[in-house]
Amino acid sequence: MEKFILDGHKLQWHKDKVEAWLRGERIAPITIDCALTRRCTYQCVYCYGRLQANDEKRMTRDVIFRFLDDAAEIGVKAISFVSDGESTCSPHIYDAIVRGKDNGLDMALGTNGYLLKDERLDEILPLLTYLRFNVSAAEPSRYAQIMGCEEDNFSKVYNTIKESVRIKKKNKLPVTIGLQMVLLPDFADQIIPLVRLGKELQVDYTVIKHCSDDENGSLGVDYAKYFSLVDILNEAESHSCNGYFVKAKWSKILSNGKRGYSQCYGPPFIMQLSGSGLVAPCGMLFNRKYKKFHIGNIADTSFKEIWRSDRYWEVVKLIASENFDARTMCGSLCLQHKANEFLWDLKKEGQPLSMCDCELPMHVNFI
């Protein structure tokens, strides 16, 4: 088994939750993916965040702490600050990581790294399960072009990644440090330079993922062009070595942007919150035009109350019903995609639920 499951899911290690869901019980999410703001310092050309505009509320320190307290109380296992905004833009990011970990939650951060303060790394790295840097190019000029920032940003982020690795190694911390490339076919020239950069920086892994698009193709992703990248992606994976893992998300990259299921079953296990405070089943449905799928806002109501409300479970039931078609009514290849495939096979195809008898994977609570 791969050390990191970067192209799959981990629900088979949460059999009790899956069995409860199959019985129709109301379960707490295992993972919540969220942001602390919708703001960002970058303007990446592939950014799905531009398609997620909704009514923003103020995510104060008290609101964030109440949410983290509620999550722990109802039985959530892990919080990833990875969603529709750059959470390091929030002045509360460091306190939030501390509060979440103090509550017994597994904590993770995905960031472009530009605003991440090197002087705070000693404080947060021991508290994080993983720290993932979103880096979609390895050359300063291409980095600026693809990620919508100044060329000088590259050297700052490079040094912050290097410092993170240094602290991890010095203190023998279990935190995983990785790079993530959001791949469009036009970025093929950056694939090999990026995996070499990851090896140079001595991160744990580099993952190369597809770009999601909405149901209208607003970002213009041509999924057919991914098939021409098979050879170079295989070459990229060949750079894996002891202590460094390179992985392409093959199942999504070569899916042609299609789904094999029509109903959405994943959100009870992996719920998402916008940086506006909005609670919705997934990031694909954050935009205000999907208001009928919006559940509440943690700036107005505690997450615990929202989760216990009839509205939460009405929306969960709606997207799992025949009145919703994930193939046409929301964006492609979402966060819940692999979980949806697994749960669809259980519920619709009659596949048996079996517990994985191999050792626990890394980051088991980040589904």
Side-chain angles (χ1 to χ4, degrees):
M1 186 187 72
E2 292 176 350
K3 180 179 180 181
F4 303 107
I5 297 178
L6 298 174
D7 186 21
H9 65 89
K10 308 181 191 80
L11 282 177
Q12 59 268 51
W13 284 275
H14 296 273
K15 188 178 179 184
D16 56 337
K17 288 274 192 179
V18 178
E19 289 176 333
W21 173 78
L22 287 169
R23 292 192 298 267
E25 297 178 18
R26 295 184 172 188
I27 60 170
I30 300 168
T31 309
I32 295 179
D33 181 278
C34 59
L36 301 182
T37 177
R38 289 205 72 246
R39 289 179 293 141
C40 188
T41 47
Y42 284 18
Q43 293 181 322
C44 299
V45 299
Y46 51 77
C47 180
Y48 201 94
R50 74 180 77 168
L51 309 177
Q52 296 173 306
N54 58 76
D55 299 328
E56 188 157 3
K57 300 291 180 75
R58 189 158 173 258
M59 292 280 277
T60 65
R61 185 175 185 271
D62 287 345
V63 167
I64 294 165
F65 276 23
R66 181 177 67 180
F67 160 68
L68 293 168
D69 294 349
D70 285 348
E73 183 179 335
I74 69 172
V76 174
K77 302 289 187 185
I79 302 288
S80 50
F81 290 135
V82 184
S83 189
D84 61 340
E86 172 56 55
S87 287
T88 59
C89 290
S90 169
H92 311 301
I93 178 63
Y94 305 101
D95 289 344
I97 291 169
V98 173
R99 181 70 166 224
K101 188 64 175 179
D102 283 348
N103 285 348
L105 296 162
D106 289 350
M107 302 298 297
L109 173 63
T111 176
N112 60 41
Y114 181 65
L115 291 182
L116 193 58
K117 296 178 180 179
D118 290 10
E119 63 268 25
R120 303 299 295 269
L121 292 172
D122 270 309
E123 176 186 2
I124 65 169
L125 284 173
L127 309 179
L128 293 172
T129 299
Y130 71 80
L131 173 59
R132 189 183 72 211
F133 291 91
N134 302 314
V135 181
S136 292
E139 298 165 354
S141 60
R142 288 288 277 145
Y143 180 89
Q145 179 186 37
I146 290 168
M147 302 194 71
C149 63
E150 299 297 324
E151 283 192 33
D152 288 347
N153 289 25
F154 180 85
S155 61
K156 189 280 170 187
V157 173
Y158 177 96
N159 288 327
T160 295
I161 299 170
K162 188 175 181 180
E163 178 65 3
S164 299
V165 172
R166 186 193 69 79
I167 292 170
K168 170 188 168 160
K169 291 181 178 294
K170 174 188 173 186
N171 298 321
K172 299 181 179 178
L173 300 175
V175 61
T176 299
I177 299 173
L179 307 184
Q180 175 177 273
M181 178 185 201
V182 179
L183 176 66
L184 284 171
D186 290 345
F187 306 165
D189 63 300
Q190 293 301 298
I191 294 173
I192 301 305
L194 186 64
V195 299
R196 288 174 174 159
L197 179 69
K199 184 180 288 188
E200 173 189 330
L201 287 167
Q202 300 181 51
V203 297
D204 296 295
Y205 68 85
T206 295
V207 60
I208 303 164
K209 63 167 286 188
H210 64 293
C211 180
S212 293
D213 208 341
D214 69 4
E215 66 271 32
N216 299 315
S218 298
L219 296 179
V221 183
D222 186 346
Y223 289 101
K225 288 186 176 180
Y226 280 122
F227 290 88
S228 67
L229 304 180
V230 169
D231 288 345
I232 195 169
L233 289 172
N234 276 319
E235 181 186 348
E237 290 193 337
S238 74
H239 285 261
S240 296
C241 59
N242 187 33
Y244 179 55
F245 183 49
V246 179
K247 180 65 178 179
K249 290 195 173 187
W250 291 108
S251 70
K252 291 184 177 182
I253 289 171
L254 301 182
S255 70
N256 219 10
K258 305 297 184 184
R259 304 172 187 260
Y261 54 88
S262 54
Q263 276 78 61
C264 184
Y265 296 141
F269 300 90
I270 316 171
M271 184 60 61
Q272 290 188 267
L273 275 65
S274 169
S276 69
L278 171 70
V279 181
C282 74
M284 301 294 184
L285 299 175
F286 283 165
N287 191 286
R288 58 178 64 93
K289 70 181 178 179
Y290 303 115
K291 205 169 184 75
K292 71 177 182 179
F293 301 109
H294 294 175
I295 299 168
N297 193 297
I298 62 170
D300 299 325
T301 310
S302 75
F303 182 73
K304 181 170 56 178
E305 291 177 73
I306 292 172
W307 175 72
R308 288 174 175 167
S309 69
D310 290 339
R311 173 64 181 166
Y312 184 102
W313 296 102
E314 285 168 2
V315 173
V316 165
K317 184 177 180 181
L318 173 59
I319 62 173
S321 75
E322 294 184 359
N323 293 319
F324 183 83
D325 190 340
R327 297 167 296 186
T328 60
M329 295 175 69
C330 61
S332 61
L333 306 175
C334 61
L335 175 69
Q336 294 86 353
H337 178 67
K338 299 306 292 184
N340 275 331
E341 289 182 330
F342 174 75
L343 296 167
W344 176 266
D345 286 344
L346 289 179
K347 199 170 183 74
K348 293 291 188 179
E349 305 298 333
Q351 293 289 334
L353 173 61
S354 57
M355 184 68 179
C356 187
D357 58 3
C358 45
E359 66 180 291
L360 289 178
M362 301 285 287
H363 317 157
V364 68
N365 290 326
F366 295 92
I367 302 303

